[in-house]
Each structure stands twice: as structure tokens, then as C-alpha cells.
Amino acid sequence: MSRTHRVIPGLPLTLGYTLFYLSALVLLPLAALALKAGQMSAPEFFRVITDPVVTASLRLTFFASTLAALINAVFGLIVAWSLVRYDFPLRRLFDAVIDFPFALPTAVAGLTFANLFLKDGWLGGFGPRLVEGVNALAGLTGAGPLLPSGALDWLTFPYTGQTGGIVIVLVFVGLPFVVRTVQPVLLEWDPEYEIAARSLGAKPATIFARVIFPEIAPAWVSGVALAFARAVGEYGSVIFIAANIPGRSQIAPLQIVTRLDDFQYAQASAIGVVLLAISLLILLVINGLESFSRRHERTA
Amino acid sequence: MTIEIRNISKSYGDNKILQNIDLKIESGELVALLGPSGSGKTTLLRVIAGIEQADEGSGPVLFDDVDVSDVDLGKRRIGFVFQHYALFKHMNVFENIAFGLRAKPRRERPGEAQIREKVQTLLDLIQLGNMAQRYPSQLSGGQRQRVALARALAVEPRVLLLDEPFGALDATVRRELRRWLRRLHDTIHVTTIFVTHDQEEALEVSDRVAVMNAGRIEQYAPPQEVYEKPASPFVFKFLGNYNLFHGRGQSGDGAALVRPHDIVIHRDRDSAGPDARLGLVSHIGFGGPVVKVELETEDKTHVDVEVTTPTFNDLALKRGETVWFALRTQQEYEYDFVI
Amino acid sequence: MAGAPIAAKTALGPIKPAPPPHPVARTVLVTLAVSFLTIFILVPLVNVFVQAFAKGLDGYLAVFWPPQPAPEQVLSVVQQRKLAEAAVQAGRTWHAIGLTLSVAAIVVPLNICFGLAAAWATTKFNFRGRALLISLIDLPFSVSPVVAGLVFVLLLGRNGIFGDWATHLTWIDPFSLRWVGFEAGFPLAFERDYSGVIFTPLAIVLASVFVTFPFVARSLTPLMESQGTDEELAALSLGASGWRTFFKITVPNVKWALLYGVILCTARAFGEFGAVSVVSGHVDVNDTMPLRIEKLWNEYNNQAAFTVASVLALLAVFTLVAKAAIEWKAARDLPQNQGHSSQ
């Protein structure tokens, strides 16, 4: 520590307070988790996390989180690109609502999605509801029913209580991550490169693949990783929409809650350690990516 | 107030920013710390201010022969003007200037009426009397600079320290403001140190110049002396354009540094003198009162010469002509020091 | 930078001139983007309010203020029981609202103090381990809410590491301070105390602090770092004390970022579900608003669940509006930064 900055007062006070508060409220509790899990022997730990109910929940968590992250990878990129590059009506409104999943309590999100994707919900029964709506409108104008009832019965998404519902809410909670990590890079991107590439005769698709995408790829990957990490830990919204049947539709965080309710603290902490390890691993990957892209920038 | 610093060193890790600096500034002097970037001049100023601490083992910083090394920044009674002014952007000009007065402990704090009067006096001094209610964002660069100065002066500092005071301004404003600073200093006579990398600025404004290079003071003297008797090749080179001649030393191998305007061009050998050499006029650059003539000698080295326009017209030089040139004065250095 | 709650610097500028977009690509991409956002954000949001008002405005208000029968009205036993049930439900809802507000009233000031201290320490000074400290402050963002609750159970629960001490801890509920009149001697008294930590509101406070921990620090740090220390040094050189410098110079310079962090922290404190659920013990008196929503949903009281949810959804909308307003305000203040760059 150099003496230079000591001219500004308050380091002992603020640093001491920060370290105390951080240790007492974050590090100590996390250490308790490690300690509790550490009290188990290795075979015991292994037995807990290979319990069929636990592995099923971990598998479901990974499967749904991966699928949700992939959907966000594609649509997040499309959304970020459209918002930055194209002008369209209500563009700023759509930009503002991107942050909505950050702001909306997860319980509310779970509640409304569970309701929407019920068999006869607006989206769960999208086809029949659409027919209903169109025919009602037609009735107002005096014409007869436009669409025969049952015409769109195949267009339904009754996902509440199914894995599809879990994926849906995980897409929602992870949605802002990809958009908000890619967007700043796209905003800083100077279209002159594209004009130059275009003047050299490159096709737009080639320009995107060879010129633009490499530039946004690190941000995109870390955005997808963040969305995945968020999805793995998500609890509130999922339990509203999932059927929560042990061994079939329980996500890993719900397994923790179930074990806690049964006072199986060691088992709960073992699953907790697995989840924590995953989030820390993703954190490391993202930090690695960021320092890689910084180095890359410096040499470029 | 006099300022004296003895044997000050400062390093960041292995990077030695200041090395054993000694400096003594007389009361009421206006001193420039001149040097290229990375020479340590700003660090030296910050050590004097108390913003940075010198390394362990350094000597003291003395204000009027009192050691202030361990006195806090706020208690040193210095006025510090930052390169980018550091005006408080959420306060208007008046509040900026009054800040130091309002921050005084209750016993010493002047009354509101006195604060108003004092700030108004300072506003008049910096010729911004009618801008008290403006915010920093509404001022030009030169105006901000003057507000920063007034804010520093409000607490009646014993010494005024200015970091690159004109660095962020455009050329015209710079020239105007440095004359204003000189006049201001002549009025208030507070000991002042300012940092600059502009040799013209340092020479024009200051009473004495400390030329710094690589963490050391190369020369500390009045401007004229610094210019006419540079203590080292570095000082010579830093203060203006120069030509380098090899092997012409009187005491064996060495080099000579010559300013372009200290070379005289002659049409004929007789008037040029015994040491004159031949040169081919390879380029002529017109630029106001001085014409820049580039000569190519027999050994293919280039020599820059500056002649006044009347002289140039008398000589009627043309490109491709061969002429004689002689050195009016020169600074000789042994080789070791030059390269 | 994992788990950014709301990314900074995403304000859309005008569209930069670029080669003319391919018309088909443009149409397809914009349609996809708009449909995606409509289905995943706008429709769910609208649905919250539609469902909340499924029984009209009266039904909506009845969740909070159950209908009172006129005094002369004769009620059947079934009707009486229904009314009594509605009154109990409304009471629980009000209790949840009160608890949520109380928790936020403790959590948010705590995290403001912490955020300011942490931002000051990590941006105005350089010390070994600074980068690690910044990462550790961000850590709660990448921990699953359920794990956040779990760690407190493991620390302070019955079999926890400090379990013996924590289960015998008795503490007074500061929000139960009531006027009891002079007969009792001192006219103010606390009406409620608790023993233990886990499965009490204190655990809810701890879990909420954990999950909202980084918000204020995180929204201050980038700004304070970019502002450097020149203004603070200028104030100190003019003789101002450290506190004066902090309150008169530093805080006004970061006021918008601070406000933003506070809003995010508040929104999260109101809305946290997983961590709070784990430490609440599913007891009615420990229900915050999100937990109350879950209970109503499990009781098939759809409309009431959505009514409580609509309050939180409104709060989320307010958060976004505040974000936009603060961004607009900060952008307007931005020209003042010219000539005030960091050293």
C-alpha cells in the first residue's frame, strides 16, 4: 500500500467496516455451508448427491437452464441487435422493459407465467383463445364467426406443470443478461468497419459472421453464462409453474428446501455446495473471459 | 514564505519518480517546474502540497524553515490548483470560492457578510464579478481556471501551487492567461510554484525555472541564465531547436550544440571567417519574421538555420545554391553527456 | 462482474449511420425481437393486472378491505364464516405488507451505509487485495437465493454452528413499540419479543441483507472510480474535514447513482422470495408479500394472489421508470463533467 493515498482520510474506518460487514453477513454464513458439508465424509457426500431424487433434480436444473440459456442466446442477440441498429415504433419502451425481469419479484413472475400457460390460459391455450377473440371481434362487426371453433386447437402451450414451463420462466429471469451484456458492445461498435467491409464487396451475412460477431462474441458468451448461472439458482418463479414432484419435476434448489423441511441439514448443504460450486465456476469462467478480451483488446 | 525541500525521493515500486531533490524557493518568488512528461515535476509539486508523501529516508519539506512533512494537506495552508481545476460541479462559482471559508472551524469562520465581501473581491480580481451564480459547466476553460485560482486564494494560502495551469487551454487563451497570472502574482506576491512542460511559458512567466529530467533537477536558475547557460545538454535540447556537431570540441572528442539562429550564413568565404564550412541550400521554409533554411554539408548532414526575413532578403538565397556558414556561439559537451 | 442486476451505460443513443439494412432481415429481426419481448415481458405484466381485477375493482379492494355487512343485515352462518375468513385473510395480507416494509426499513439503510463505506474504501484508495474485495462484494449476486437462506439456517438454526447461542437469543421487536399509557409507568413499551433467530423476522432481515448486499456499492463504484480524487483533494486542501468532504463533495457527486442503488436494493428487499422462504419456516406471521402470494396461490385464491402481486408489479414498473428518469437526469448533468476528468 502506498502512502500517497493516505492523504484522503477514512481508509481504516471504511475498510474496517466493509470487511466486518462482509465477513459477518456473507463470508461467515458461506463458511458455515462449507463447514457443514465438510463434516460429511466423502462417500457420504457422494451418496447424497447421487441419490436418484437429487440427480434427477440436478439433471432437470441443468437441462432447463441450458435450454433457457440457449433460447436467450439466440433471442437476446436478436433483441440487442434490433434495439441498437433498427428504428421501430416504441423502440425506447422495449429497451426500457428489458430490465423488467431484474425488477419484478420472482414470485410475481412465477405466478403470472403459471397462470398464462395453464391449459386454458392466454398462452397455454393460445390457439382456441385466438379463435375465440377473432370470432368475438367478427361478431361485433355483424359478420358470422370467421374461424371454425377448434381450428387452432393444435396451437397450444399448456406448459404449467411441465418442464416447458420451467424453461419459460428461466428464459424470463435470464433475459436481460444477454441483451445487457451485448448491447454496450454493439453501441460502441463503429459502423465504419461495416461500410469499409461492404465497400470491399463483402455480403452482409459475411460481414456479420466475420467482422461483427467476433467483436461481440466475448460479451455474448459471458451474457449467456450469466443467464445460465441465474437459471441454475432460480427458485421463486419455478416453484409456481412446476409440478414439483420429487424425482420428476423438482429443481435442485427445491430439493434443498425439501431437505431442510425434513431437517436433513447435511443433505441440504451437500446440494447447496454443488450449486455454489457451479456459480463460482461460472464466475471464474466469466472473469477469465473478461480478462481474455481485455488482453485481446490491448494487443489488437 | 520560503519553501525548502531537502533530499526528497519518491518511488512507486521500482519506478523512481523523484531522486534526491533539493530546492529552495525564496519568499514571493514565482517558480516554474519545467520538464517533459514523466520527469517528476507534478509529483514534486504534490509532495510540496502534501498530497503525496515522500519516501522513507527523505529529507524534510520546510515552509519558512518549519518542517511540514507530517502536516496534513488541509493544515499546510497551501492553495492547490489542479490541472483539470477540480471545481465542485454541483456548486456555483460563488459557493466554490466560498467553500474554504465555510469549511473553517467555527472559531475562525468569518461571518456570512464577510464571506460575501471576500468572495466578491476575489471575483473582481479574476474579472468574473458578474458570474457568481454560474455553474462550472457554464464557464469556458479559461474562466474555470481563474475560478479555481480564486478558490485557492480565498483561504489566504501561504503558497500557491499550480499543476499545468494552462495545459488544458487553447493557444490564445494560454498566452493571455499567463500574462494575467504574472500580473496577479506581482499584485499579491504569494510564493507560487507552477508545473509546465512548455518552455516558452516557463521562461516568460517565472522568476526562476527548475528544469527537471528523469526525477532530478538539471538546472535551477533565472530564465535568462537557463536559456543562455544551459547546465546540461538536456536543458539545452529541451529549451529549443538545436543542431548537433560532432568532433568539434576544443578538448578532444565531443559534441557541440548550436541553436539554429546562432548560425550565420555568408555568401563569400572571406566574411565568413576561418571556421566557416560549406553548405548546400536544400530547403527554404518561410514563416513570418524568421526564415528556416536547411543546409546540407559535404558529409551529408543536415543543418537547420534561422535567419531574420530582412537578412534573408539581403542574402537572396535560392534552393540549390552553395553558401558558407559559421557558428556564432556554441555549447560544447563531452561525448558522454550528449548521447 | 457476474450477475449484474441492471447493467450501466446501456442508454440507447440515436441510431448510428450504418450501411442500409437489408429490408427483409430488418423486418424479420424486429418482428422476432418485438414478439419475444411482448410474450415474455408485456403479456405477463398485463396479465398480473388483468387477473388482479378479475372480480372488478370491488374484488380487488376486498382483498385488503373485506366488505362489511350493514349492521341491520341478517347473515346466514355460511355468510358469517365467509366474512370472518375474508377478514382473517385480509389481516394476514396487511401483516405481510407491514413485515415487508419493516424488513426493508432495516435492510436498506444498513446496505446504504455499507455501500457508501465500501465504495469509498475501494475507489479512493489503492491497497493489496482490492480487486478481490470488489469480487467478494459481488458474490451474493451469484449465490442462489435458496443457498442464501440455507447458509443462515446452517449458521443459526437449531443444529447450526452458532445454533445454541442463536436459539436462546431473545430480542425485542422494534416495530412493536406501542403507547401503553401512563398507568404502566413509562408510557411506551414493546409489545412483542422473540426468541431464536431462524424462523423469525430477524432471519428474514439477515437473508434480505445477504441478497441485497451488493446493490448500493455496485451502483456507486464505477462512478466514483471514474470521478477520481481531485475534487476530494481540492476540498481537503481548502481545509475541509474528511466528513465535510464526504458529505459536501462526494455524496452530491454520486447522488443519482446512490438513489438508483437504493431503489434497486429496495425493490429486491420487497421482492425476495427464495432466501426469505427458507428462513421463514412457512409460518403465517413470517410471511412477506412474496410469501403471502405463494400461500394465496396454494390456497387456490387466484385473484387475491394476483392482487398482492399487482402491488409488487407496480413497484417494479416504478423501478424501471425511476431508472429511466435517473439516466435522463444523469445524462443532463453530464456536460458538467467536462474538464473534470480523473487524473
Side-chain angles (χ1 to χ4, degrees), chain B residues 248 269 272-277 325-327:
Chain B
R248 283 181 57 93
R269 163 120 220 201
D275 286 339
R277 299 165 67 183
F325 69 93
L327 313 184

Side-chain angles (χ1 to χ4, degrees), chain C residues 92-325:
Chain C
R92 287 185 187 151
T93 300
W94 278 113
H95 182 80
I97 293 173
L99 182 61
T100 305
L101 290 173
S102 311
V103 168
I106 296 171
V107 168
V108 173
L110 278 177
N111 278 341
I112 291 175
C113 292
F114 165 74
L116 284 169
W120 182 267
T122 55
T123 61
K124 302 295 176 190
F125 304 94
N126 211 349
F127 49 88
R128 205 173 304 148
R130 180 173 158 269
L132 178 69
L133 180 60
I134 293 174
S135 311
L136 286 177
I137 291 171
D138 270 353
L139 190 61
F141 277 153
S142 35
V143 175
S144 167
V146 169
V147 174
L150 169 70
V151 294
F152 284 102
V153 175
L154 296 178
L155 190 69
L156 302 170
R158 197 171 295 278
N159 297 316
I161 291 169
F162 298 137
D164 279 344
W165 170 77
T167 43
H168 294 110
L169 183 76
T170 307
W171 54 277
I172 292 163
D173 180 1
F175 291 98
S176 67
L177 190 66
R178 295 288 182 278
W179 181 265
V180 292
F182 286 98
E183 301 85 55
F186 194 72
L188 294 172
F190 293 101
E191 286 193 321
R192 204 164 44 224
D193 57 9
Y194 290 92
S195 59
V197 177
I198 294 303
F199 307 148
T200 73
L202 183 58
I204 294 175
V205 168
L206 290 174
S208 301
V209 166
F210 186 101
V211 294
T212 60
F213 190 84
F215 282 103
V216 178
R218 155 64 82 85
S219 60
L220 290 177
T221 309
L223 182 64
M224 278 171 70
E225 201 156 294
S226 74
Q227 284 179 340
T229 53
D230 273 9
E231 283 189 49
E232 280 80 10
L233 287 172
L236 291 167
S237 79
L238 292 167
S241 67
W243 287 110
R244 191 182 179 87
T245 304
F246 177 72
F247 284 111
K248 295 271 176 177
I249 306 302
T250 309
V251 172
N253 272 340
V254 299
K255 58 176 185 274
W256 295 121
L258 179 63
L259 180 64
Y260 184 40
V262 169
I263 289 173
L264 290 180
C265 182
T266 311
R268 183 70 196 266
F270 279 174
E272 177 52 31
F273 182 84
V276 170
S277 167
V278 169
V279 298
S280 76
H282 312 301
V283 190
D284 282 343
V285 291
N286 288 341
D287 278 351
T288 58
M289 287 165 80
L291 298 180
R292 181 81 191 129
I293 293 173
E294 188 200 11
K295 287 231 169 106
L296 288 167
W297 168 255
N298 286 339
E299 290 164 11
Y300 300 99
N301 198 343
N302 204 13
Q303 182 259 337
F306 273 101
T307 302
V308 180
S310 71
V311 177
L312 290 175
L314 212 57
L315 201 76
V317 172
F318 167 76
T319 306
L320 294 193
V321 172
K323 179 193 184 226

